[in-house]
Amino acid sequence: MLLSTLLALSLANSPLRESFNSLWHVSLGVNIGTMVFERSLHGWINDAVMTLFFFLIALELKRELVLGELRNPRLAILSISAAIGGMLVPALVYLFFQYGELGQRGWGTVMATDTAFVIGCLALLGTRIPTSLRIFMLSLAVVDDIGAIIVVAVGYGSDIRWLAIGLALLGFIIVKVMAFLGIRSMTLFFMVGALIWLAVDASGIHPTVTGVILGLMTPTTKWVSDARLHTIMDCVVAYPPGDHWSGDTPDRKALKTAEAAAREALSPVERLEMILHPWVGFVVMPLFALANAGIPFTGISFASPLTMAVFLGFVIGKPLGIFLFSWAAVQLRFAVLPSNLSWSMILSGGLLAGIGFTMALFIANLAYTSEQINAVKFGILLASVLSALLGLVLLLYVTRSNDSEQQDSSPTQDKSEDTLPHNDQFNLVESEHEFKR
């Protein structure tokens, strides 16, 4: 994404800028009788390809709620409260500067957090970052994105066509019935999902909502238990080596059964995440950045009211909203703060949440006119860069301070570890290697 962003900025400010801009306006589509499915290349990327991104986000949220850390209600409420504050306060900051102005409709631009860039920034600090902060930020960003999609559906849709909505609802019911009947073909589900996308697109609601709903409908239960999988695999391993795996033999049937069992030992949510992560990470999001991050810097000023409103919404509103709502949830005993997660880390994470790149650009394309969009994109870019720098610097300072305090409070720790018996040291190393593996 970073490389695509830099490439888009370079091309948008080079002699090739006219060709680069015209590329995204090339019209693509198909005609089926009297029905016409046509939009620009930019439109296909933002409306169709990005549906996969939102589908993956919904899968991650479903997994966290059912199988992951958010199963604990009080931990979930901490992330949800932070996400609500991180959406509400930036929108209020933005409206403070733009209420009654031409840019008032763009209040949703400053609400979302860019999941990929935030997690990437945390990865730069490696093991200095506690796992609880990663989980908190990932959960916050996922809930944030879901909230932004609801804003897109409600605030930036067009005229509602109820017949198309009825067809889309019928499609969702068909998906539910297919899952109930035990149909496991991913291809068949994606075909039905594509038809639902067309119905939602025709309804006036933004079609990326399809990805969110289908992601939340995806089952988290697996068909083959661990015990059953081991039994099946033991049957295959029991066959002696030889050339008996070809032909229509019981041996080969057992092998195919083991293949199906290994596949079905993962829930559909987990399997789809594994399939989609490389495509979304290395194709969908870089392509989106390339199509949307091209900002010509000529004629743009930081003093522009729109640029300032977007910039302050992210840099001030995001950390303020996340910190205050998290603190309030803990003080009211609705949520609990993990023992290794400090308030200074929450504030640092709030600063990182000001990186609103992907969703901010996505909503900006829906909310602003062609005359306003470049000033808004400039504000998004500046806010994302500054938020990343401030968040990383503060996190580096906080984690370094924590490390110093721990070393001061346990000066004999290293010495006691060195005096372990040889066998205990060996077992400790082996355990660590096994844990990492």
Side-chain angles (χ1 to χ4, degrees), residues 217-229:
M217 290 176 63
T218 305
T220 55
T221 54
K222 52 188 179 182
W223 271 31
V224 177
S225 65
D226 291 342
R228 180 63 177 160
L229 176 63

Side-chain angles (χ1 to χ4, degrees), residues 68 187 357:
T187 304
F357 190 78

Side-chain angles (χ1 to χ4, degrees), residues 161-202:
R161 300 175 183 86
W162 293 105
L163 177 60
I165 288 181
L167 292 174
L169 290 175
L170 178 61
F172 289 125
I173 293 172
I174 291 173
V175 168
K176 198 67 177 177
V177 171
M178 289 168 61
F180 178 77
L181 294 176
I183 296 173
R184 309 293 281 177
S185 171
M186 294 292 183
T187 304
L188 191 57
F189 276 104
F190 271 105
M191 290 174 61
V192 176
L195 294 176
I196 295 174
W197 184 91
L198 291 173
V200 174
D201 185 39

Side-chain angles (χ1 to χ4, degrees), residues 13 55 63 66 84 113 119 132 205 237 243 264 304 335 383 389:
N13 292 278
F55 180 57
R63 175 176 52 78
V66 179
I84 292 173
T113 297
I119 300 303
S132 57
I205 299 174
V237 174
D243 299 327
E264 298 299 339
S304 165
L389 292 175

